[in-house]
Structure formats: C-alpha cells, structure tokens
Amino acid sequence: MHNELKITDMQTLETNKETIEESTNPISLDLPDFTTDSYKDAYSRINAIVIEGEQEAHDNYISIATLIPNELEELTKLARMEMKHKKGFTACGRNLGVVADMEFAKKFFSKLHGNFQVALEKGNITTCLLIQAILIEAFAISAYNVYIRVADPFAKKITEGVVKDEYLHLNYGQEWLKENLSTCKEELMEANKVNLPLIKKMLDEVADDASVLAMDREELMEEFMIAYQDTLMEIGLDNREIARMAMAAIV
Ligand code: PL3
Ligand code: FE2
Ligand code: FE2
C-alpha cells in the first residue's frame, strides 16, 4: 500500500517534469500556420533569397576555383552541394504552393555580389573567401539554424541536411585563411570592414519577413555572431582583433 503510493507519486512527478520540460522548450512552441496568405507572402521573398543565395554560392565557389586552381576538385565539390541546396529549397517553396520572388532576391544580394565580382577581377582570394565562405555561410548557418526550429516538417528535414554542408563550407574558408593568415590579415580586416555592414543591412532587411515565419531577429544575430566569431578564432585571430572586426557591424 505504502509502496504503491510512492510509485504513483513518482509517476506524477515524472509526468509533471515532462510537462514542464515540454512547455519551456522553445523548439516545440509557436509553430506558425504555413497556409496563411501572410506566411506565403513572406515566404515568397525569403525562399527566393535562399534560392538566389545558393545559386550565387555555387557560382562563387566556381569563381574561387579560378583563383586557387590546385583546389579545383574540392571547390567543385562545394559548388555541387550548393546546387543541391538550391534544389532542396526550391522544393520547399513548391511544397507550400509559393512562387519565389527572384527579382527581389537578386536585388537583395546585388551589393555583396558586386563586391565579390570586383575582388574576383583583382584576384583578391582573401576578400572572395571572406565574402562567400565566411560572411555568407555564417549568415546561411544562422538563418537555417533558426528556421529549423519553426519550419514545416518537409522544409525542416531539408534544412537540417543543408546546414551540415554549410559548416563544411565555413570550414573550408576558415582553413585557407588560417594557413595564409600571415599574408592575408590586413586584407581580411579591410574586406570585413566593407562587407560585414552589408550583411547587417541584409539581416535588417529580411527581419520583418523572417518574423512572419516566427524567426526572431535577435536569435538570427546571435546565431550569426556565434558562427562568425568561432571561425575568426579558429583562423587564429586574438580577442581584440575579433572584437574589432565584429564592431564593424555596429558602426
Ligand atoms: C550558402 O550556401 C547559401 C547562402 C544563402 C544565404 C541565405 C540567407 C537567408 C536569410 C533569410 C532567413 C530565412 C531562412 C529561411 C530558410 C527557408
Ligand atoms: Fe548552401
Ligand atoms: Fe554553402
């Protein structure tokens, strides 16, 4: 009798614990309604940004291979992954019955795209890698990590696969810059000063649409900073240098 009571108490306790854990778990809360017009409207731009971003990432890795010809094979592999990502996100839009606003997305990337093209023409590998393999990849990683928490089940699965690849891409840029740090530090700092503010602007530009998808701006920024600072640390910059670089986002 006494024993039975104990077991029941413990079960009650267990049940309570589960309920509390579930209700405080942000990941399972507030999934948006994927069928509303407002969701689809915001998705038409965000989906386009992601599709355009993946296409440009592909093109950028192919371009970078012309600057580092002995890594053609590796860079071609990365580029191929980007095309797979593009296909995946195209399917996400189709699945929700959304037509991506590609014109909007082209404009969204145009400044960064222009800066990449200028660096490419000049043969500035460091700037090209900073723009594509650090800034754009960290931006993608932040967006995808936040999106996974609030995505429809179909898109969630696809995005989980994609984000794993994006870490490989970030890592590629990280390792090249680490190996060449003694000769590329100055260019890295300068390119960051010019291009990090563009990423910040892009994040601001997408924030309203992202919030309709239940993606929080602060969370996006936090995820971005984690990926960005981690990478700079791995490259071999010290705390002061990293702080100085990150500061470019707020001035
Ligand atoms: C690099 O491999 C891909 C670059 C893509 C950049 C994407 C930035 C996305 C910002 C918008 C946030 C919404 C994410 C939702 C995903 C459907
Ligand atoms: Fe990608
Ligand atoms: Fe990528």
Side-chain angles (χ1 to χ4, degrees), residues 99-232:
V99 179
D101 185 348
M102 296 311 296
E103 203 181 311
F104 173 86
K106 280 224 160 63
K107 259 188 240 142
F108 181 82
F109 278 104
S110 61
K111 271 227 166 95
L112 205 55
H113 179 82
N115 287 356
F116 183 92
Q117 294 308 317
V118 170
L120 178 64
E121 252 167 61
K122 292 186 181 161
N124 291 344
I125 303 178
T126 298
T127 302
C128 287
L129 283 176
L130 175 82
I131 292 176
Q132 175 56 49
I134 309 296
L135 296 179
I136 295 181
E137 297 295 355
F139 188 36
I141 284 169
S142 67
Y144 299 164
N145 275 334
V146 175
Y147 181 57
I148 282 166
R149 299 164 197 164
V150 291
D152 66 86
F154 180 85
K156 180 173 151 82
K157 216 168 163 201
I158 286 177
T159 310
E160 280 168 347
V162 169
V163 79
K164 282 197 197 112
D165 290 345
E166 309 302 14
Y167 280 106
L168 298 177
H169 302 171
L170 188 66
N171 203 62
Y172 177 84
Q174 176 186 299
E175 291 308 305
W176 192 94
L177 291 166
K178 184 179 183 169
E179 265 164 46
N180 295 276
L181 189 61
S182 58
T183 53
C184 76
K185 208 188 240 184
E186 219 172 298
E187 187 186 327
L188 186 70
M189 299 275 183
E190 189 49 40
N192 180 76
K193 211 174 203 167
V194 175
N195 292 291
L196 183 60
L198 294 182
I199 295 285
K200 169 69 169 29
K201 258 189 223 140
M202 289 159 81
L203 202 140
D204 287 339
E205 244 182 271
V206 83
D208 284 347
D209 283 330
S211 77
V212 177
L213 273 50
M215 297 171 65
D216 180 57
R217 183 173 176 281
E218 313 289 300
E219 236 177 296
L220 283 166
M221 265 169 57
E222 193 177 293
E223 292 283 346
F224 175 85
M225 276 310 188
I226 291 171
Y228 174 75
Q229 290 178 330
D230 260 12
T231 305
L232 297 182

Side-chain angles (χ1 to χ4, degrees), residues 71-82:
E71 296 197 20
L72 175 69
E73 206 181 314
E74 179 73 16
L75 285 159
T76 307
K77 240 191 249 166
L78 303 192
R80 266 202 214 107
M81 291 184 206
E82 304 297 18

Side-chain angles (χ1 to χ4, degrees), residues 6-141:
K6 252 194 177 159
I7 289 163
T8 313
D9 277 351
M10 273 174 55
Q11 280 172 338
T12 310
L13 262 180
E14 264 314 297
T15 315
N16 278 344
K17 200 173 132 223
E18 267 169 40
T19 312
I20 289 162
E21 267 172 11
E22 241 171 65
S23 66
T24 52
N25 179 359
I27 291 160
S28 65
L29 280 182
D30 290 336
L31 276 196
D33 182 344
F34 310 112
T35 64
T36 63
D37 284 345
S38 65
Y39 189 92
K40 289 187 182 182
D41 174 58
Y43 205 87
S44 71
R45 286 179 293 281
I46 299 244
N47 187 228
I49 286 170
V50 171
I51 291 169
E52 176 66 20
E54 297 293 355
Q55 178 66 54
E56 293 200 17
H58 164 274
D59 300 348
N60 290 348
Y61 285 117
I62 297 292
S63 297
I64 291 168
T66 66
L67 303 181
I68 321 176
N70 61 327
E71 296 197 20
L72 175 69
E73 206 181 314
E74 179 73 16
L75 285 159
T76 307
K77 240 191 249 166
L78 303 192
R80 266 202 214 107
M81 291 184 206
E82 304 297 18
M83 288 316 279
K84 219 179 97 196
H85 300 169
K86 181 186 173 187
K87 277 201 190 113
F89 287 124
T90 303
C92 293
R94 199 186 308 123
N95 180 53
L96 293 176
V98 168
V99 179
D101 185 348
M102 296 311 296
E103 203 181 311
F104 173 86
K106 280 224 160 63
K107 259 188 240 142
F108 181 82
F109 278 104
S110 61
K111 271 227 166 95
L112 205 55
H113 179 82
N115 287 356
F116 183 92
Q117 294 308 317
V118 170
L120 178 64
E121 252 167 61
K122 292 186 181 161
N124 291 344
I125 303 178
T126 298
T127 302
C128 287
L129 283 176
L130 175 82
I131 292 176
Q132 175 56 49
I134 309 296
L135 296 179
I136 295 181
E137 297 295 355
F139 188 36
I141 284 169

